[in-house]
Amino acid sequence: MPSDRPGGEKAHGPFWSEPGALLEHVPVAVFGIDDDNLVCYWGPGARDLFGYDSAAVLSKPGAVLFPDAPQGASDSCTLLVERGRTLGYWRGRLAARHRDGTVFDCGFRVFPMTGAGKSSVVMGLASRSDELDRVKTNLAFLDALFETCPIGLVMLDQDLRYVHLNQALADMDGLPIEEHLGRPMDEIMITSDGGEYQRMLRSVAAGGLPVVGTLVGMRTRGRRDRDQVRSVSFFPLSQAVGTPPGVGGLLVDVTDREQAMLEATAGRQRLALLDRAAARIGTTLDMNLTAQELVETAVPDFSDGAVVEVVEWMDEAEVFDPALPLFTRRIASGTILPPPANELVSGVESVSYPPGSVIHDMLRTGRPISAVVNEDFVARTVLIEARARLLAESGLAFILVAPLIARGTVQGLAMFGRSAARPAFTEEDLSLAGELASRAALCLDNARLYSRVQDIALTLQRALLPSALATSPYVQIAHRYVPGSHITEVGGDWYDVISLPGDRVVLVVGDVMGHGVPAAAAMGRLRITAKALARHDHEPDDLLAELDECAQEAGIELATCLYIVYDPTTGRARIASAGHPPPLVLHQDGSVETIDDVLGVPLGIGGYPFGTTEIELPENAILALYTDGLIEARSRDIETGLDALRAELGRASGPLEAMADRILTSLLPDPPADDTVLVLARVHRVRQGDRATLQ
């Protein structure tokens, strides 16, 4: 606050404030009185309160400020200065006089300060008593309002974060005041209006018109299970200069009065849950993941806990018999309740339900059923005493069971649970659970059928792969076949080792493009044909030409093949390739050679000749044959993968079996993205003594 001094000097006094502070609502006069009881300091607030400008009062007796100074002396002024100097700080009320002669009740606060030249100055702060009383009354009223008002009161900042609220609103939200402060409003209030409530508040915060008596349907984080209708009024808060804007609000719970809106809100909540279920359930063809997606959709919006179980039928033709126990396998679970609820839902895999259980009642009718968790429910449903004790201690008070039925087949069941803090399941909840279970059942059945087809393809492929490879004293073999993950279908990778006359050995690796049963069947056809042709001792390029014709006749559109004939008497290998990744040779010195001059076109295309190349393999050299699953992935191209394989092969040492394991562990992702074949062959030559024996 600017002040005036003798000589007209302008300066900030010891007390000044920015506009918008409390002093803006309660004018405060600041003045100073020296050792001679003369006014030595006069602020603009003093001019407003007493009516004197600085020229009229500076260096004049302080008595001019009081009505009891007929002869220039004032007991009030003397008392004021004396109390300030002797007590160090004094406050009280005295009668004061305006320049126009008006007398008014004034509140003073005085304290001593050291002035220029170490002289003593008593500084005074003065305000009209009626103004102070008004502010005190207003503040007391606001404090009482926030403490005792039954209506929800809230103050939000410009980002709609909680700054202040009363206990009534905290009780309505079901959360302590402390858990509101600093959090965005949409973290507490859950609406299903497409963001309209947020837009309304942001408009008010931006200085828009107040909102009065608008009805809003919502749930809160503290009362997820309870639909509420509130009548809300919001207004922009007046702001001091330099302080951020905000919103003030009054909220009244009118749920009972607005039951129709409540029902509409509940309906929107159910539709929103079904929309989330449609988007989240069935994103993969994995049964366990699909079941877990159902659990995560239901918890915590619909229930406090959930499990999904599939029925363990003896065979597909088995029909549910209510007189027999029911055996299930739990494949997904989740809960937000504290221990031991987590152990209850996830601590078991196989479950047995006795005849007469609620689950039997549900399967007999084919409709969702709800039940109260009491002694009768536990006795009818839970056989194991320890599990019954966990259920009793879990906090679950209500259970809803819905059948998972798809294409006329009972797949299993979904079970939802709520604690006593939430209301029991209603008819609308039964209907909603039935919808969720119906959607999930179809996704689970799709996953089950896909898994069955994949298992058939994998079984077929393994049956068509060689159960025992040909052996030779001159070629040591380590071979691996790794199927793709459960998410990807079985591919058409294959391999074989074939003995030829003269101790020659054939190494062959192939890959049929595609997945599933067709790829596995085509793979088996090519492997058997290649083995039959190899026994006729064809040249590698001629054999691939024959195999190409076979592929075209069988309708195999694209397949690769690498065919190698090794002769231990000469140490030479003849190689032909039909579009297959090139073989690698690991030499004794650790160097790795790539044989890439006979790539050829894939089988099934036709019209192109194949070539044969011949290389010499030194004693103890290791040949590496593989399929593209080892070197190709989404995160890397084939060249990068081939470089990684060469580097890994160059570092390998020791027995072939251990080398194969290390290479696969290093290069394959987890889970594998595609089928992979790896064949390692350490070659030896026929020694002179062996050659004489052979001759």
Side-chain angles (χ1 to χ4, degrees), residues 419-447:
S419 68
R422 301 176 72 160
F425 291 106
T426 63
E427 287 296 324
E428 289 79 10
D429 291 329
L430 289 173
S431 176
L432 178 58
E435 284 282 344
L436 288 174
S438 178
R439 296 187 183 201
L442 188 60
C443 295
L444 285 170
D445 196 45
N446 290 338

Side-chain angles (χ1 to χ4, degrees), residues 64-93:
V64 300
L65 307 179
F66 301 95
D68 58 347
Q71 303 299 327
S74 168
D75 293 338
S76 296
C77 182
T78 302
L79 174 67
L80 190 78
V81 172
E82 178 188 3
R83 294 292 174 86
R85 287 197 176 99
T86 57
L87 299 180
Y89 176 81
W90 177 82
R91 68 177 181 178
R93 294 193 178 192

Side-chain angles (χ1 to χ4, degrees), residues 92-274:
R93 294 193 178 192
L94 297 171
R97 185 179 63 184
H98 192 270
R99 184 176 186 177
D100 62 7
T102 304
V103 176
F104 58 93
D105 192 30
C106 188
F108 290 92
R109 286 172 171 78
V110 292
F111 49 90
M113 293 187 66
T114 302
K118 295 186 179 180
S119 61
S120 174
V121 176
V122 172
M123 296 300 302
L125 306 177
S127 298
R128 293 185 67 97
S129 296
D130 54 354
E131 293 289 341
L132 288 174
D133 292 342
R134 178 180 59 81
V135 171
K136 288 179 180 179
T137 301
N138 289 346
L139 291 176
F141 172 75
L142 289 176
D143 286 342
L145 185 66
F146 265 82
E147 287 291 333
T148 62
C149 181
I151 296 174
L153 304 175
V154 67
M155 182 188 300
L156 306 171
D157 65 15
Q158 60 184 344
D159 296 321
L160 305 185
R161 296 178 181 273
Y162 287 91
V163 176
H164 194 27
L165 70 154
N166 65 347
Q167 189 61 46
L169 181 57
D171 293 340
M172 289 165 61
D173 291 343
L175 292 171
I177 292 177
E178 295 75 16
E179 292 191 26
H180 288 73
L181 300 179
R183 298 177 66 179
M185 186 211 63
D186 58 0
E187 285 189 12
I188 304 297
M189 296 184 178
I190 308 169
T191 60
S192 301
D193 56 3
E196 182 61 31
Y197 187 56
Q198 283 277 318
R199 289 190 290 272
M200 177 184 73
L201 283 177
R202 293 196 182 282
S203 174
V204 175
L209 296 175
V211 173
V212 180
T214 299
L215 298 180
V216 180
M218 67 179 67
R219 290 185 182 183
T220 67
R221 295 296 176 190
R223 303 189 187 280
R224 293 175 178 272
D225 56 300
R226 180 170 176 244
D227 293 303
Q228 299 182 37
V229 177
R230 295 182 183 178
S231 174
V232 301
S233 299
F234 289 101
F235 48 89
L237 295 175
S238 59
Q239 49 185 319
V241 175
T243 60
V247 177
L250 297 87
L251 301 91
V252 182
D253 189 343
V254 293
T255 303
D256 295 338
R257 190 187 76 192
E258 303 293 336
Q259 189 62 32
M261 177 176 282
L262 179 61
E263 292 174 356
T265 300
R268 286 195 297 268
Q269 295 284 354
R270 288 193 290 271
L271 288 175
L273 182 60
L274 288 175

Side-chain angles (χ1 to χ4, degrees), residues 593-627:
E593 180 183 1
T594 303
I595 312 301
D596 57 1
D597 52 353
V598 286
L599 295 180
V601 298
L603 303 176
I605 295 178
Y608 295 92
F610 297 94
T612 297
T613 188
E614 184 173 282
I615 64 171
E616 183 175 353
L617 296 175
E619 178 70 17
N620 279 327
I622 296 176
L623 268 171
L625 292 74
Y626 51 92
T627 56

Side-chain angles (χ1 to χ4, degrees), residues 265-566:
T265 300
R268 286 195 297 268
Q269 295 284 354
R270 288 193 290 271
L271 288 175
L273 182 60
L274 288 175
D275 285 342
R276 290 195 297 274
R280 296 179 62 179
I281 299 174
T283 59
T284 72
L285 287 172
D286 183 285
M287 286 190 66
N288 291 352
L289 288 177
T290 300
Q292 192 61 41
E293 288 167 347
L294 171 59
V295 169
E296 292 173 358
T297 299
V299 178
D301 292 337
F302 181 67
S303 62
D304 294 320
V307 299
V308 176
E309 299 172 4
V310 292
V311 178
E312 298 279 82
W313 300 116
M314 298 298 294
D315 58 67
E316 289 191 8
E318 184 178 358
V319 178
F320 169 67
D321 187 346
L324 297 177
L326 184 71
F327 299 96
T328 66
R329 178 166 52 88
R330 188 165 294 177
I331 60 175
S333 62
T335 182
I336 59 171
L337 296 177
N342 188 63
E343 183 181 354
L344 174 70
V345 301
S346 62
V348 65
E349 182 175 346
S350 297
V351 185
S352 175
Y353 296 104
S357 69
V358 170
I359 284 68
H360 283 70
D361 295 342
M362 177 267 297
L363 290 180
R364 186 172 59 250
T365 62
R367 299 175 61 82
I369 289 179
S370 63
V372 177
V373 179
N374 51 27
E375 292 183 4
D376 177 64
F377 172 84
V378 174
R380 291 176 56 197
T381 308
V382 185
L383 290 174
I384 303 173
E385 182 178 349
R387 303 291 302 172
R389 187 164 52 253
L390 276 177
L391 177 57
E393 297 172 355
S394 67
L396 290 174
F398 312 104
I399 295 290
L400 189 157
V401 189
L404 299 173
I405 302 175
R407 301 180 177 98
T409 302
V410 176
Q411 307 293 325
L413 59 96
M415 189 179 302
F416 309 97
R418 287 180 179 174
S419 68
R422 301 176 72 160
F425 291 106
T426 63
E427 287 296 324
E428 289 79 10
D429 291 329
L430 289 173
S431 176
L432 178 58
E435 284 282 344
L436 288 174
S438 178
R439 296 187 183 201
L442 188 60
C443 295
L444 285 170
D445 196 45
N446 290 338
R448 179 184 65 86
L449 294 175
Y450 173 79
S451 180
R452 176 181 297 176
V453 172
Q454 189 181 38
D455 290 343
I456 291 172
L458 184 58
T459 302
L460 175 61
Q461 185 182 43
R462 285 176 171 165
L464 294 173
L465 287 172
S467 57
L469 300 179
T471 59
S472 167
Y474 305 108
V475 180
Q476 295 173 276
I477 298 291
H479 57 94
R480 296 287 186 274
Y481 167 72
V482 181
S485 71
H486 190 66
I487 304 302
T488 59
E489 292 188 277
V490 173
D493 294 15
W494 60 280
Y495 63 97
D496 209 343
V497 179
I498 307 165
S499 294
L500 295 181
D503 282 332
R504 291 174 301 157
V505 177
V506 171
L507 305 172
V508 58
V509 172
D511 184 3
V512 177
M513 299 299 107
H515 294 88
V517 173
M523 172 273 297
R525 194 168 205 170
L526 289 179
R527 190 186 76 82
I528 294 170
T529 303
K531 190 162 190 173
L533 292 172
R535 297 197 185 282
H536 291 284
D537 209 4
H538 289 287
E539 276 294 307
D541 55 343
D542 293 334
L543 183 140
L544 289 183
E546 293 277 358
L547 208 56
D548 183 43
E549 291 184 10
C550 173
Q552 294 179 64
E553 292 171 0
I556 300 172
E557 296 181 355
L558 200 64
T560 64
C561 183
L562 176 64
Y563 188 87
I564 300 176
V565 181
Y566 173 66

